Amino acid sequence: MTLRIALAQIPVEHGKPEENYKKVAQYLSKAAQAKADVVILPELWNTGYDLARLEEIADVEGQRTKEFLQAKAQEYKIDIVGGSVAIKEHEQFYNTTYIVD
């Protein structure tokens, strides 16, 4: 059995979550078209390392990211190692990885 792994070293936009979700969605589509089985996303792809604005742009309890990754994994029938994302839980910030299939 052959396992195809796609590494997504995509240029994320500093402090622009909307643009980053769009870029990741496009990359996941391309990886699926290339018959990837697993896609690995980069660190802090959702916020682009804009640590000064986490209060404003971090994903609250990771909800958006979990829903997004789960939907894309199901749509493309791929496994996704969600790199890591900035999330906010109970007034604290975390660099969290989600893995979905």
Side-chain angles (χ1 to χ4, degrees), residues 6-70:
L7 302 175
Q9 284 302 108
I10 57 177
V12 296
E13 298 294 328
H14 183 77
K16 297 181 180 177
E18 294 305 319
E19 289 183 33
N20 293 329
Y21 278 93
K22 287 178 188 175
K23 280 186 179 186
V24 167
Q26 292 170 347
Y27 186 87
L28 292 172
S29 174
K30 287 180 184 178
Q33 290 172 9
K35 307 267 190 255
D37 299 301
V38 179
V39 179
I40 302 173
L41 300 176
E43 183 178 20
L44 292 178
W45 61 264
N46 67 332
T47 60
Y49 280 92
D50 190 350
L51 303 180
R53 293 182 45 232
L54 287 182
E55 181 68 40
E56 177 185 344
I57 62 175
D59 185 2
V60 177
E61 296 182 8
Q63 197 60 40
R64 178 180 184 187
T65 302
K66 288 185 276 190
E67 290 174 5
F68 172 79
L69 295 176
Q70 289 168 346

Side-chain angles (χ1 to χ4, degrees), residues 65-83:
T65 302
K66 288 185 276 190
E67 290 174 5
F68 172 79
L69 295 176
Q70 289 168 346
K72 293 302 179 187
Q74 183 175 22
E75 178 181 357
Y76 297 125
K77 307 292 187 261
I78 56 176
D79 297 342
I80 303 170
V81 178

